[in-house]
């Protein structure tokens, strides 16, 4: 496992006394120029819908291209319109690789009700996209809670996953955050059946989460033992993330079975990881992952 800490303006090593080293990637330095630049606004590509018997329809946008494909998994209550998803689509377009972004059940343009959604349901959504919309090996890019779903999908479909890229990976986060509340507060939430969680997209608002969501999420925790994933894994996390501690990504890196794991810490990075330098780093890492996969194939 390689660990590095990156300030916003440089790729310097964090401290000489700690086991950090600069990661040399692909065809050269991490910040090598590529045929891509950030885009503003959402692409106008039409939204399609995946119909499933007995399940909410899923809204998605798909770009056809060569393998490996890339699938973006947004964060909690986020949608496929998230800036990172839009930027990654344009990047994959520039490379000629396939790309999919979509809305979970109860989110965005997909069917279903947010209050009835669960981690288990969203896992089914990811697997449906993998099974019915993607072709060939895929690189899953999971943001925040999408990083948790990314791990669950890779465990369930190891033959479909070529690599994982986690951005502020929130594995088990909601369950652990609930358990860290005072016991009286936990009991109050259980009695009322609702938990008001700060909205990570609009910090002045709250999500009303059913207690049943937490109970379901407990069945999908991955940090209690070794994570049975052996594909290449790249984890990126901001050290100033005030919602999901960067130590969660460190924990994932330590217990995942893959021997090809890199943990990249952004010294001044925030939770959303969507400023220009963050996006450039994410894109370059995915570019390197794709390049290595194509070389191996």
């Amino acid at each position: 496992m390689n660990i590095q800490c990156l300030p916003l303006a440089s790729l310097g090593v964090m401290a000489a006394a700690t086991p950090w080293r600069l990661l040399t990637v692909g065809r050269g330095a991490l910040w090598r120029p590529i045929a891509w630049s950030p885009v503003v606004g959402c692409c106008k590509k039409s939204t399609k819908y995946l119909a499933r018997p007995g399940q909410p329809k899923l809204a998605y946008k798909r770009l056809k291209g060569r393998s490996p494909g890339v699938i973006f998994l947004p964060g909690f209550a986020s949608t496929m319109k998230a800036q990172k998803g839009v930027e990654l689509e344009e990047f994959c377009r520039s490379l000629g690789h396939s790309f999919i972004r979509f809305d979970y059940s109860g989110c965005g343009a997909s069917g279903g009700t947010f209050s009835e959604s669960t981690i288990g349901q969203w896992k089914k959504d990811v697997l449906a996209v993998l099974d019915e919309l993607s072709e060939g090996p895929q690189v899953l890019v999971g943001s925040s809670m999408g990083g948790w779903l990314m791990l669950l999908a890779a465990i369930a479909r190891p033959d479909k996953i070529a690599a994982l890229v986690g951005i502020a990976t929130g594995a088990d986060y909601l369950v652990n955050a609930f358990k860290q509340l005072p016991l009286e507060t936990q009991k109050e939430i259980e009695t009322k059946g609702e938990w008001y969680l700060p909205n990570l997209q609009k910090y002045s608002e709250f999500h009303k989460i059913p207690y049943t969501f937490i109970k379901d999420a407990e069945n999908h925790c991955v940090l209690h033992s070794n994570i049975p994933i052996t594909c290449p894994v790249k984890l990126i996390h901001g050290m100033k993330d005030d919602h999901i501690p960067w130590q969660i990504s460190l924990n994932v890196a330590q217990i995942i079975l893959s021997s090809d794991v890199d943990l990249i810490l952004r010294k001044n990075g925030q939770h959303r990881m969507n400023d220009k330098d963050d996006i450039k780093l994410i894109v370059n890492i995915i570019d390197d992952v794709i390049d290595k996969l194509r070389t191996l194939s």
Side-chain angles (χ1 to χ4, degrees), residues 4 22 54 68 72 93-94 104 117 127 138 149 151 163 175 194 199 224 234 272:
Q4 57 174 321
L22 182 62
F72 177 70
R93 190 190 307 277
S94 73
Y104 305 120
S117 299
L127 296 182
Q138 300 295 313
L149 294 169
L151 297 172
V175 174
E194 294 176 347
N199 187 334
H224 49 74
K234 310 299 178 185
R272 299 181 71 178

Side-chain angles (χ1 to χ4, degrees), residues 43-81:
C43 301
K44 296 182 180 180
K45 191 175 182 65
S46 62
T47 300
K48 296 182 179 180
Y49 294 89
L50 173 63
R52 303 175 292 169
Q55 297 285 324
K57 65 179 181 180
L58 295 179
Y60 70 93
K61 293 179 184 286
R62 178 170 57 181
L63 177 69
K64 292 189 176 181
R66 62 178 180 265
S67 292
V70 177
I71 301 177
F72 177 70
L73 309 183
F76 181 78
S78 186
T79 71
M80 61 179 165
K81 292 182 179 181

Side-chain angles (χ1 to χ4, degrees), residues 4 19 63 69 72 79 98 113 115 119 122-123 149 177 181 188 197 205 207 229 233 252 273 277-278 287:
Q4 57 174 321
L63 177 69
F72 177 70
T79 71
S98 66
T113 304
S115 61
I119 293 294
W122 290 336
K123 174 186 172 182
L149 294 169
L181 296 173
E188 181 181 353
L197 186 72
E205 299 179 4
H207 293 297
I229 293 173
V233 179
V252 171
M273 296 286 290
D277 289 329
D278 292 333
D287 180 47

